[in-house]
Amino acid sequence: MDVLVIEGGKPLSGSVRISGAKNAVLKLMAASLLTAEECVIRNVPRIKDVENMVNVLLGLGAQVIHDGDVISIRAGEDLSWEAPEDNAREMRASIQIMGPLLARFGRVRIAHPGGCAIGTRPVDLHVNSLRKMGADLRDEFGFITGSCTQLTGQDIYLDIPSVGATENIMMAATLAKGTTVIRNAAREPEVVEVQNFLNRMGAHVRGAGTDTIRIHGVDQLGGADHTVIPDRIEVGTYMVAAAMTRGELVLSPVIPDHLDMVMAKLRQAGVEIDVRGDHLRVRGPRVLRPLDIRTGPHPGFPTDMQPQFMAMLCLAHGTSVIVENVYSSRFQHVEELMPMGAQITVDGRLAVVRGPCRLTGTRVSATDLRAGAALVLAGLAAEGITELERVHHVDRGYEDLEIKLRGVGAAIIRKSVVSAEALV
Ligand code: EPZ
């Protein structure tokens, strides 16, 4: 069990290289199951969720070569359709193999996915949409099991613009008979990335990035060679790090359009941001201003940036209000920020953050991926030493976090703590 030890109070300064997008690459790996030909995915981040997805694909019998930031996948005709249970339960993205396995092999058996404990995360939109396309799916004993002869294109209206459900339906529909229309589709950049990858494989997908996506089924898909977009949430996290330490960072590569709302809110808080092509220069102000934040589907404020902004708003001169509209329980980081001196009141999906507060270092624990990131940021700004436990949550989604932060002046090290039982 690793612990990150941070000595706060040092303004960050320098350049950070941004890695490939976690929430895109995991789906492209799943989409590779749609063909027997080789798929090559580049700019793959070295994070635990990618390792897990590699193990899921290996468990299905796919050939996977993972060399640095390049992954080559070849899912042959003899593939199994039963996902390895342990790996599937490790992350939310494992649900994304359901559409491809049904579309290609007509069978699937997968354990309910795991992932961040940030509220109830049902998969009803995934299951019901695939049922409407002709899959006979049973959701029982913690597994989703099912089969189909041939998926058929359907007009599907999503009650919620679910990112994962949109992507699962897109992938399934590429080999379905006829045309599928997804209405109230998720509009996240990662959904557009899945469209681009599928079209490189020979699919006919149009409309990703809008609320209506049309997919014309084809008989077969081929391989693809694709470089993944930069991770917009990693960019946002480092922007907040600069904001909280009165530092100045240059981040690249970035796609500024993916960060419109985040940049607008940071500028509203007094953070200076210069955009130059695929580079961002971000400068933290002497005084941070309070904000009202309401998370929502893209292009609204991304829920995956809410914990990081909450940490920043502890330092703002005034009272901020945060409303978490996407998940039912994404305020676990509040319990950990309070002992550091944060002044936060939570009532359901609403949090009131009073500032400025004097953050002081102490021992805290990551409860999920972005909560862990928020606590690292708080440690960077706090007086004294912060020790962050359960770092494995953070390792799921950030490549070399402490190495990148040390590279721009943070006093942060990773301690490996061997538990007593591990010694017996
Ligand atoms: C993706 O999760 C991301 N994960 C999440 O990032 C992100 O927070 C989320 O999209 C929203 O942007 C990956 O891409 C691996 P949803 P996903 O389906 O697809 C409800 C991170 O920190 N819902 O858009 O699971 C659901 O409970 C992670 O990187 C249903 O009710 O998100 C939630 O309240 C955290 N039924 C809302 O929709 C369903 O069948 C949005 O979920 C599916 C979802």
Side-chain angles (χ1 to χ4, degrees), residues 96-118:
Q96 308 298 155
I97 68 173
M98 194 160 62
L101 287 178
L102 282 168
R104 173 112 181 270
F105 301 103
R107 299 292 299 268
V108 67
R109 184 172 189 275
I110 179 168
H112 265 259
C116 292
I118 47 182

Side-chain angles (χ1 to χ4, degrees), residues 22-23 27 92 122-125 162-164 304 326-327 370:
K22 166 179 89 82
N23 291 347
K27 315 330 172 41
R92 177 75 178 177
V123 291
D124 56 317
L125 298 176
S162 156
V163 172
D304 294 349
V326 176
Y327 290 107
R370 306 300 175 185

Side-chain angles (χ1 to χ4, degrees), residues 173-324:
T174 57
L175 295 177
K177 189 169 181 54
T179 298
T180 298
V181 182
I182 309 171
R183 301 184 192 283
N184 196 26
R187 299 166 53 184
E188 275 70 1
E190 291 77 23
V191 175
V192 177
E193 186 72 347
V194 170
Q195 170 180 275
N196 294 342
F197 187 73
L198 292 172
N199 288 341
R200 283 227 169 123
M201 295 172 75
H204 290 282
V205 187
R206 297 292 180 275
T210 74
D211 62 3
T212 304
I213 301 174
R214 283 181 172 75
I215 307 104
H216 301 295
V218 296
D219 294 333
Q220 197 170 11
L221 292 178
D225 188 320
H226 186 86
T227 299
V228 177
I229 54 173
D231 192 315
R232 62 190 170 106
I233 305 301
E234 186 187 21
V235 175
T237 304
Y238 283 103
M239 292 171 87
V240 172
M244 291 180 70
T245 61
R246 294 184 179 142
E248 179 168 342
L249 293 177
V250 175
L251 308 177
S252 69
V254 303
I255 301 176
D257 290 354
H258 293 175
L259 289 141
D260 284 346
M261 178 64 87
V262 169
M263 289 197 287
K265 284 296 180 181
L266 286 171
R267 284 174 170 139
Q268 200 182 330
V271 178
E272 290 175 45
I273 303 168
D274 301 321
V275 178
R276 296 199 183 100
D278 72 346
H279 284 60
L280 269 186
R281 179 183 296 277
V282 53
R283 206 174 291 113
R286 200 176 52 75
V287 173
L288 281 164
R289 293 192 287 265
L291 295 171
D292 285 353
I293 299 280
R294 298 171 189 284
T295 69
H298 193 79
F301 187 90
T303 174
D304 294 349
M305 283 301 305
Q306 179 262 104
Q308 299 92 313
F309 266 67
M310 183 180 282
M312 179 182 79
L313 293 171
C314 294
L315 306 178
H317 285 233
T319 298
S320 299
V321 175
I322 298 175
V323 183
E324 173 53 61

